[in-house]
């Protein structure tokens, strides 16, 4: 059983704890959708000042909406379009302090002001992305990027 806890350490310690929680949640569970749903829920209760967190899964040359927490979202995003599609195409994290300054930003939620998208890579191939939006500019930084990339690595390793 999972209980909501207060994260009282440093940001790095708190991220390390949430990664351990992820490992426990996905241990022994082979179902991708179940693991992504729990991962999205875990991040949703862990991260403050966010309005959307979830996954898009690769199908051919586009991303298709997967498990998430937040308002209804765009269903399909072509590789190379918006923050998610750019992260997928370039196979690297996109850290966007102000989405209105990102060329081709796709506004699924008008409240979103900043975003981080971490590609999910398996054997060098993009299988999806983790997408997190915030209603505040400059919400995400290099610490978020470092630990969210580790979070995604743990998740992908379980697939």
């Amino acid at each position: 059983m999972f209980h909501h806890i207060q994260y009282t350490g440093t940001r790095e310690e708190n991220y390390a704890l949430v990664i351990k929680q992820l490992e426990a949640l996905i241990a022994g569970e082979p179902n991708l959708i179940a693991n992504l749903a729990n991962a999205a829920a875990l991040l949703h209760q862990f991260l403050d000042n966010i309005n959307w967190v979830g996954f898009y899964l690769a199908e051919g040359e586009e991303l298709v909406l997967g498990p998430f927490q937040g308002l209804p979202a765009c269903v399909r995003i072509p590789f190379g379009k918006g923050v998610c599609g750019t992260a997928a195409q370039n196979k690297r994290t996109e850290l966007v302090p102000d989405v209105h300054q990102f060329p081709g930003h796709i506004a699924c939620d008008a409240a979103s002001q900043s975003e981080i998208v971490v590609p999910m890579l398996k054997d060098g191939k993009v299988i999806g992305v983790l997408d997190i939006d915030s209603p505040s500019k400059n919400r995400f930084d290099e610490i978020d990027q470092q630990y969210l990339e580790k979070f995604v690595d743990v998740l992908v390793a379980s697939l």
Side-chain angles (χ1 to χ4, degrees):
M1 174 181 281
F2 191 85
H3 298 283
H4 182 77
I5 66 168
Q6 294 294 328
Y7 296 92
T8 58
T10 65
R11 286 180 62 211
E12 293 86 347
E13 290 167 343
N14 292 343
Y15 264 117
L17 177 56
V18 86
I19 290 168
K20 287 182 189 284
Q21 290 173 319
L22 174 67
E23 290 170 338
L25 279 171
I26 63 178
E29 177 51 62
N31 185 275
L32 173 66
I33 299 301
N35 287 336
L36 294 179
N38 269 335
L42 180 62
L43 286 174
H44 185 259
Q45 66 84 37
F46 168 67
L47 294 167
D48 62 348
N49 200 23
I50 64 166
N51 58 315
W52 201 92
V53 56
F55 297 91
Y56 281 89
L57 301 173
E59 279 188 12
E61 290 298 308
E62 67 181 357
L63 298 166
V64 180
L65 183 63
F68 69 94
Q69 301 273 314
L71 292 177
C74 303
V75 176
R76 294 181 181 271
I77 301 173
F79 278 28
K81 301 292 183 188
V83 181
C84 289
T86 300
Q89 184 174 46
N90 296 336
K91 298 182 181 180
R92 72 170 180 259
T93 299
E94 291 290 334
L95 179 61
V96 182
D98 181 351
V99 296
H100 304 292
Q101 301 303 315
F102 190 90
H105 173 252
I106 300 169
C108 296
D109 182 343
S112 294
Q113 298 294 313
S114 62
E115 186 170 2
I116 186 167
V117 179
V118 180
M120 300 168 64
L121 302 172
K122 181 108 176 154
D123 301 323
K125 182 179 175 191
V126 174
I127 61 169
V129 299
L130 166 62
D131 179 22
I132 308 173
D133 295 358
S134 171
S136 300
K137 291 181 181 177
N138 299 300
R139 161 61 183 84
F140 306 104
D141 63 16
E142 290 75 18
I143 292 172
D144 295 300
Q145 179 175 342
Q146 176 186 355
Y147 283 93
L148 290 169
E149 287 173 351
K150 289 180 183 180
F151 186 94
V152 165
D153 287 346
V154 167
L155 191 55
V156 170
S158 74
L159 305 177

